[in-house]
């Protein structure tokens, strides 16, 4: 059973982060106490993360309820593979997500992924095992390992909300891209997962109007293809 950071672990990590990087002081001061986010793991947990992507929280919950009902409460690889793509689409999944559901199910039934032994792998090896499945990108793999396995030193650097919060912390004009965000987060080892939680909490509070954000340069127009900001996970 994965061991997840306790509230005491999170509190201690926040203090260590601010000591290592004063740029996080404002985020720490403005963001209330939070617990480590916990989600269901295993096959059903990964499938739900795929279902939840690119839709609102309310829509995701409604679709998942239909998926569970359609699978008769048995969210297993065998149950998913017993339904064809059109049946899965009838539960509210897009055709792409229905195909990814089959891909994840086949990966487990064929032995290409073993959720029961995933926790024995190092962070890089676990990310590699998950992203080898078609439809599972790096962001999905990293957040799955954070929320479902309690891994506390992963940082989903491709997350746009995290990148924007990093821009605020550094009072920068340009939002860092994934490569720059990953490099910037190195100073936060071994608490990068707590740093991500802190930045998500700060970002969410600002967007909801609960936290005032002052003295931040206006964001410059991002270079390259834009990425739509989505709700934090």
């Amino acid at each position: 059973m994965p061991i997840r950071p306790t509230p005491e672990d999170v509190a201690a990590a926040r203090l260590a982060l601010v000591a290592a990087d004063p740029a996080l002081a404002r985020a720490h001061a403005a963001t209330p106490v939070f617990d480590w986010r916990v989600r269901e793991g295993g096959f059903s947990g990964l499938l739900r993360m795929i279902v939840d992507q690119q839709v609102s929280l309310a829509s995701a919950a409604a679709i998942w309820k239909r998926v569970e009902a359609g699978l008769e409460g048995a969210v297993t690889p065998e149950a998913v593979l017993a339904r064809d793509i059109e049946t899965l689409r009838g539960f509210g999944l897009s055709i792409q997500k229905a195909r990814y559901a089959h891909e994840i199910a086949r990966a487990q039934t064929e032995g290409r992924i073993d959720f029961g032994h995933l926790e024995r792998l190092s962070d890089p090896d676990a990310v590699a095992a998950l992203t080898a499945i078609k439809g599972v990108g790096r962001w999905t793999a990293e957040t799955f390992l954070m929320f479902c396995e309690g891994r506390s030193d992963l940082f989903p650097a491709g997350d746009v909300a995290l990148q924007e919060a990093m821009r605020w912390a550094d009072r920068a004009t340009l939002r860092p891209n994934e490569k720059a965000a990953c490099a910037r987060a190195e100073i936060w080892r071994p608490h990068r997962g707590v740093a991500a939680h802190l930045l998500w909490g700060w970002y969410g509070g600002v967007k909801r109007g609960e936290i005032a954000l002052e003295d931040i340069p206006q964001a410059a127009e991002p270079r390259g293809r834009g990425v739509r900001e989505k709700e934090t996970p």
Side-chain angles (χ1 to χ4, degrees), residues 128-142:
L130 289 166
T131 55
I133 305 170
K134 186 175 181 179
V136 180
R138 187 171 187 87
W139 181 90
T140 302
E142 290 172 335

Side-chain angles (χ1 to χ4, degrees), residues 169-208:
D170 290 333
R171 293 181 168 86
T173 301
L174 286 176
R175 177 191 295 165
N177 60 21
E178 183 172 359
K179 183 177 180 181
C182 185
R184 175 70 178 83
E186 281 297 307
I187 193 174
W188 301 332
R189 287 181 181 271
H191 306 298
R192 290 180 299 169
V194 175
H197 277 65
L198 175 61
L199 292 172
W200 272 322
W202 190 33
Y203 177 89
V206 170
K207 290 299 182 180
R208 291 189 299 271

Side-chain angles (χ1 to χ4, degrees), residues 210-229:
E210 299 166 358
I211 299 173
L213 192 64
E214 301 172 353
D215 303 323
I216 301 298
Q218 185 174 352
E221 190 67 26
R223 292 169 292 185
R225 186 174 60 185
V227 179
R228 181 177 67 84
E229 290 195 32

Side-chain angles (χ1 to χ4, degrees), residues 75-99:
V75 185
T76 64
E78 293 76 17
V80 168
L81 291 173
R83 276 76 173 179
D84 60 23
I85 296 297
E86 287 306 312
T87 300
L88 295 177
R89 290 187 69 191
F91 302 159
L93 301 182
S94 66
I95 188 169
Q96 187 177 54
K97 289 183 179 181
R99 288 172 176 164

Side-chain angles (χ1 to χ4, degrees), residues 20-229:
D21 187 356
L24 293 180
R26 282 194 310 154
H28 173 64
T31 306
V33 172
F34 56 78
D35 292 332
W36 189 266
R37 300 184 191 184
V38 176
R39 294 185 58 147
E40 179 184 4
F43 169 79
S44 61
L46 183 58
L47 177 59
R48 183 160 190 177
M49 292 195 79
I50 295 295
V51 170
D52 287 355
Q53 289 175 12
Q54 305 302 322
V55 296
S56 70
L57 296 177
S59 295
I63 294 170
W64 185 249
K65 188 174 181 179
R66 291 173 63 187
V67 169
E68 289 185 308
L71 297 177
E72 299 176 351
V75 185
T76 64
E78 293 76 17
V80 168
L81 291 173
R83 276 76 173 179
D84 60 23
I85 296 297
E86 287 306 312
T87 300
L88 295 177
R89 290 187 69 191
F91 302 159
L93 301 182
S94 66
I95 188 169
Q96 187 177 54
K97 289 183 179 181
R99 288 172 176 164
Y100 291 164
H102 272 189
E103 291 287 346
I104 297 169
R106 278 195 291 269
Q108 180 164 333
T109 58
E110 294 172 2
R112 290 182 280 120
I113 189 77
D114 185 344
F115 291 101
H117 293 83
L118 197 60
E119 63 186 76
R120 300 180 185 178
L121 301 179
S122 66
D123 289 348
D125 287 348
V127 170
L130 289 166
T131 55
I133 305 170
K134 186 175 181 179
V136 180
R138 187 171 187 87
W139 181 90
T140 302
E142 290 172 335
T143 53
F144 174 85
L145 293 169
M146 287 174 64
F147 303 150
C148 302
E149 292 210 338
R151 298 191 185 221
S152 59
D153 194 34
L154 285 166
F155 190 82
D159 188 283
V160 179
L162 291 181
Q163 293 170 3
E164 182 67 357
M166 293 171 84
R167 183 183 77 81
W168 300 343
D170 290 333
R171 293 181 168 86
T173 301
L174 286 176
R175 177 191 295 165
N177 60 21
E178 183 172 359
K179 183 177 180 181
C182 185
R184 175 70 178 83
E186 281 297 307
I187 193 174
W188 301 332
R189 287 181 181 271
H191 306 298
R192 290 180 299 169
V194 175
H197 277 65
L198 175 61
L199 292 172
W200 272 322
W202 190 33
Y203 177 89
V206 170
K207 290 299 182 180
R208 291 189 299 271
E210 299 166 358
I211 299 173
L213 192 64
E214 301 172 353
D215 303 323
I216 301 298
Q218 185 174 352
E221 190 67 26
R223 292 169 292 185
R225 186 174 60 185
V227 179
R228 181 177 67 84
E229 290 195 32

